[in-house]
Amino acid sequence: MNDGSTSGALADSLRTLLSRLSPGDRLPSSRELTKEYRVGPATVTRAIAALAAEGAVVTRPGSGTYVAHRPRLRGGAADTDWQTVALTDRAVDTHLIADPLGPPPAGTITMDGGYLHRSLQPTRVLSAALARAARRPDAWDRAPAGGLTALRTVFARMAGGSVAPEDVLVTAGGQSALSIAFRAIAGPGSPVLVESPGYPRALAAARAAGLRPVPVPIDADGLRPDMLADAFAMTGARLLYCQPAFQNPTGTVLAPERRGQILDVARASGAFVIEDDVARHLGHGGTVPRPLVADDRDGTVVHVTSLTKPAAPSLRIGALVARGPVRERMRAVRLVDDFFVTRPLQEAALEVLSSPAWDRHVRSLGTVLRERCAVLAAAVTREIPGAALATPPAGGLHLWLRLPPGVDDTVLTSAARRRGVAVSAGCRYFATEPPAAHLRIGFAATADHAELTEGARRLGAALTDLGPGPE
């Protein structure tokens, strides 16, 4: 038996002894334990250290080892009721992003995810980049608060126009960027205009910042400028959040003639536009319009981008692009939050973006996503007659499906889970009451085309399980 297992066995024996003692009682001395349990002094030392780390005992040099005082319990559990009063009413609403059905059981086909299947991730490129980054002599030094200059330069070039490296703030992914932007731009209680339907995690971040999301409808050409102007006028909002490229969940792209109109309406209202551009690298092979920030010269647009969606969930690297005082405000928020993004991950991201393999990955991914989108669209049309499928998107990871009349999307989602397929209920994508029942169905998190087809078949079977809807 090795020393580790011996000390572990002794620790178990001492736990039994502790159960018979009271808080404050003194344990036998190390000499006594050595003699009683027939072990060496080093074994006793390791066992006592393990118990101290657990909080079971307290060692007092020169005095001995004592049973630690246990927290007072009521009904077998700690009494935390006092926290209800102390926390007041600042609850963080996560119902739009938390899965109400819990983790899916093994064998479930995942069509509700927002990340790439492992087989689609550039894992070899990422691993090699992280290994090279870790070998840098300054890999573990503190990074600049705004991000590595070289990485900011790459993000500035991706944004285009006259964006400069000093306009870029590196963040821990797109969600972190949204949280920073919402808190920096608008105060608690302020309205923020959002697309309807829109991205649930953005709605959650806005509400966590104390903001009040106000929906503005979109159509096949994206956000409607006429309704946007009305919403600004009625609410007095000074902030708009939108996804002009491959909008989540619908996949729409803001029409060219609306791009200038949206910015004009925002400028006339003295408002900022948060442009969420995280899907830019998820195009299906066609032309992707340049970011709104590339044509913005007066600081109206706050641009958000991220590498997480086109690469892998744990490449939590994103960026904010902004000009003027709002840029300094966001840097201040960022500095207070966590100082800086971990340097090795920034170095790895720089390695990835600087490699020819990244461009090859993006091109290859576009082809794969286009094929998967077509396979799923055909399967859904076949398996769910009566549903209205939006025009297959030219980018992104999802299809947006309007369900037949009388079908409840949350009920169908539960039935689908029982059939072994996970999809997202459309009600999660609306800031207020949805106009109809929808589903968001993903095609990037599954293993292959066969799984997509089988997932659609299971979804159709789940709809059949519910029986005919009302006439």
Side-chain angles (χ1 to χ4, degrees):
M1 182 178 292
N2 61 41
D3 291 343
S5 59
T6 302
S7 63
L10 176 58
D12 289 339
S13 298
L14 293 180
R15 290 187 187 94
T16 301
L17 174 61
L18 292 175
S19 68
R20 299 195 296 267
L21 299 177
S22 300
D25 287 352
R26 185 177 181 276
L27 269 66
S29 67
S30 295
R31 181 178 298 178
E32 291 169 333
L33 293 174
T34 298
K35 182 178 179 180
E36 180 177 353
Y37 291 96
R38 298 180 182 180
V39 294
T43 299
V44 172
T45 299
R46 281 192 291 269
I48 294 296
L51 294 175
E54 296 172 4
V57 299
V58 176
T59 58
R60 298 172 185 166
S63 177
T65 302
Y66 297 83
V67 181
H69 287 275
R70 305 180 182 94
R72 288 179 294 178
L73 301 181
R74 187 183 69 182
D79 181 6
T80 60
D81 287 349
W82 64 272
Q83 295 184 6
T84 301
V85 177
L87 290 173
T88 67
D89 61 349
R90 288 297 305 279
V92 178
D93 185 359
T94 62
H95 81 279
L96 291 178
I97 59 177
D99 189 344
L101 302 178
T108 301
I109 296 177
T110 303
M111 302 174 78
D112 62 344
Y115 297 113
L116 301 178
H117 187 269
R118 187 174 300 167
S119 64
L120 302 182
Q121 300 169 14
T123 50
R124 293 180 62 183
V125 175
L126 295 173
S127 297
L130 190 59
R132 288 193 297 271
R135 289 195 295 267
R136 294 178 180 270
D138 58 352
W140 299 102
D141 290 352
R142 174 174 175 167
L148 299 178
T149 300
L151 183 57
R152 293 161 65 191
T153 300
V154 174
F155 278 125
R157 186 167 60 247
M158 290 166 55
S162 60
V163 173
E166 56 267 25
D167 299 327
V168 178
L169 174 67
V170 177
T171 66
Q175 191 67 19
S176 173
L178 288 178
S179 178
I180 291 171
F182 283 133
R183 286 182 292 139
I185 295 173
S190 301
V192 52
L193 305 187
V194 298
E195 296 165 316
S196 184
Y199 182 44
R201 292 187 182 275
L203 296 177
R207 286 177 172 144
L211 308 186
R212 177 169 52 87
V214 177
V216 180
I218 64 172
D219 58 21
D221 291 324
L223 197 62
R224 293 183 53 176
D226 56 339
M227 291 194 172
L228 178 64
D230 291 341
F232 272 125
M234 289 188 293
T235 65
R238 293 294 181 265
L239 180 60
L240 163 68
Y241 165 82
C242 62
Q243 293 181 313
F246 313 131
Q247 195 258 3
N248 187 352
T250 65
T252 59
V253 175
L254 187 62
E257 64 274 12
R258 292 188 179 183
R259 293 165 58 87
Q261 295 175 31
I262 296 296
L263 293 184
D264 288 343
V265 170
R267 290 190 189 104
S269 302
F272 289 97
V273 175
I274 296 179
E275 176 190 25
D276 187 342
D277 201 37
V278 299
R280 171 158 301 275
H281 295 295
L282 301 176
H284 296 175
T287 301
V288 184
R290 57 196 261 141
L292 294 180
V293 73
D295 299 316
D296 171 48
R297 294 185 174 276
D298 55 10
T300 297
V301 178
V302 173
H303 178 82
V304 174
T305 188
S306 172
L307 302 180
T308 304
K309 295 291 187 184
S314 283
L315 187 60
R316 307 299 299 178
I317 292 290
L320 280 162
V321 176
R323 298 183 175 96
V326 70
R327 175 185 60 196
E328 302 310 314
R329 175 78 62 83
M330 291 192 298
R331 284 180 176 171
V333 171
R334 172 58 205 291
L335 189 62
V336 169
D337 274 358
D338 56 5
F339 289 171
F340 57 89
V341 175
T342 177
R343 186 168 190 138
L345 203 56
Q346 288 194 62
E347 296 280 12
L350 181 59
E351 291 274 357
V352 169
L353 293 176
S354 302
S355 168
W358 175 250
D359 289 334
R360 291 196 297 270
H361 164 69
V362 172
R363 289 195 299 271
S364 173
L365 178 63
T367 300
V368 171
L369 293 178
R370 182 176 66 249
E371 294 170 352
R372 284 171 169 247
C373 181
V375 168
L376 181 58
V380 166
T381 301
R382 180 175 62 252
E383 300 292 347
I384 312 179
L389 183 65
T391 302
L397 308 176
H398 316 98
L399 292 180
W400 184 241
L401 182 72
R402 180 166 177 161
L403 294 172
V407 177
D408 186 302
D409 53 356
T410 58
V411 174
L412 178 56
T413 300
S414 298
R417 185 69 67 91
R418 292 192 293 271
R419 279 282 185 173
V421 59
V423 293
S424 298
C427 59
R428 300 170 60 190
Y429 300 85
F430 294 90
T432 56
E433 297 82 1
H438 293 79
L439 290 182
R440 193 195 73 168
I441 312 175
F443 48 79
T446 49
D448 49 31
H449 290 185
E451 251 192 18
L452 285 173
T453 302
E454 174 62 15
R457 187 197 67 78
R458 294 183 187 183
L459 183 58
L463 184 58
T464 300
D465 292 341
L466 301 182
E471 297 295 333

